[in-house]
Amino acid sequence: DWDRAALFWSKVIDVAPGDINALNHRGSALLRAERYNEAVVDFEKILGLNPNAYHAMYYLGVTYKYGLQDKGKARMYFQRALDTSPKDQNFVKALQEEIKTL
């Protein structure tokens, strides 16, 4: 139940508002619960705390591509994630595939 997961992580964030891990988990739960605009807020908060958080950029890309149907923003976030030069080659390939299928 993704809504319950989001509620759990909200309680963690109430105690530790700047916890990037908790924001990431809640954002992911919100994304899976199809609460796209709320997920965007969490992933944007992560970027406010760590501008190089490429996983947050990736999830923003996913949210915009599949949930909010905004290919322009999806491409922008996928490209930003790629521009951070992540070392994980599987992640790089996933980003490249997402961009290619826009």
Side-chain angles (χ1 to χ4, degrees):
D1 183 353
W2 295 114
D3 287 315
R4 288 184 71 191
L7 180 61
F8 168 80
W9 288 109
S10 291
K11 291 178 182 182
V12 174
I13 293 165
D14 286 344
V15 175
D19 186 324
I20 288 176
N21 188 44
L23 285 165
N24 186 60
H25 282 293
R26 185 174 70 180
S28 295
L30 292 167
L31 173 60
R32 287 174 177 86
E34 299 180 359
R35 293 166 57 185
Y36 304 120
N37 291 317
E38 293 170 85
V40 165
V41 170
D42 279 355
F43 296 128
E44 288 287 353
K45 282 182 187 175
I46 292 169
L47 292 178
L49 295 166
N50 177 2
N52 295 316
Y54 58 85
H55 284 96
M57 295 173 205
Y58 170 78
Y59 283 118
L60 280 162
V62 167
T63 303
Y64 280 108
K65 182 177 181 181
Y66 299 103
L68 297 173
Q69 308 295 312
D70 186 332
K71 291 181 180 184
K73 283 190 177 180
R75 181 182 308 280
M76 178 192 70
Y77 281 112
F78 288 140
Q79 188 61 54
R80 278 182 60 190
L82 200 55
D83 291 345
T84 66
S85 301
K87 305 251 186 279
D88 180 347
Q89 289 305 306
N90 289 328
F91 187 70
V92 169
K93 287 178 186 176
L95 285 166
Q96 291 169 334
E97 188 63 29
E98 291 290 357
I99 291 169
K100 187 168 66 171
T101 61
L102 284 170

